[in-house]
Amino acid sequence: MTVLARIDEMPLDLLFHVEHVSGPRAGAVATFVGLVRDHDPSVSGTVVALDYSAHPDAPAVLTRIASEVADDPDVLGLAVSHRVGHLAVGEAAIVAAVSTAHRAHAFDVCRTLVERVKAELPVWKREVLADGSHVWVGMA
């Protein structure tokens, strides 16, 4: 089994993730690409970019999450990457790929992976708005 988990400042490549988890036993590869969008329902104004920052422990946390999710004996491969730095609208912030023998399980595991990353990874985003202002997301 192959597991890849990384925090990256460079643009993320979906095909790289798919190729990383593909193999002769895989009957399905489910993927997820989270994109920077131009709006946030909780914010007034147009989003033009996101600035992601990560806690120094983020790579270890992502590796732990990926390993725990990949511990499922039916998972054949798993790859997940999260961007940090400045991302424009339309760029990928997270890419995940999971291979299994059957499609339903690949979808379920990929969703679990992404939901855990969103809930547990110590990464924060600052939304940059068209008027030049910014808003930290998730900061109370």
Side-chain angles (χ1 to χ4, degrees):
M1 148 134 44
T2 177
V3 176
L4 169 78
R6 64 184 190 170
I7 305 292
D8 205 328
E9 293 183 9
M10 300 303 294
L12 304 179
D13 181 352
L14 175 62
L15 184 56
F16 168 81
H17 289 73
V18 170
E19 289 172 347
H20 194 79
V21 303
S22 296
R25 295 181 56 221
V29 175
T31 63
F32 175 81
V33 179
L35 303 174
V36 176
R37 63 181 181 227
D38 69 356
H39 66 282
D40 179 340
S42 67
V43 173
S44 169
T46 301
V47 176
V48 296
L50 294 180
D51 291 322
Y52 280 97
S53 57
H55 187 278
D57 291 340
V61 172
L62 189 59
T63 297
R64 176 185 52 79
I65 294 166
S67 296
E68 289 173 3
V69 173
D71 196 36
D72 178 326
D74 294 324
V75 171
L76 302 173
L78 183 148
V80 60
S81 298
H82 199 294
R83 279 284 302 274
V84 291
H86 187 79
L87 284 74
V89 169
E91 287 190 85
I94 180 174
V95 173
V98 175
S99 64
T100 64
H102 304 285
R103 72 181 171 275
H105 196 57
F107 282 127
D108 292 343
V109 174
C110 190
R111 180 183 183 106
T112 296
L113 173 63
V114 172
E115 295 299 337
R116 286 206 46 200
V117 169
K118 290 286 289 176
E120 300 173 37
L121 189 65
V123 169
W124 303 277
K125 67 181 175 181
R126 184 179 78 142
E127 293 179 332
V128 181
L129 304 178
D131 67 4
S133 66
H134 67 272
V135 176
W136 283 97
V137 176
M139 301 292 190

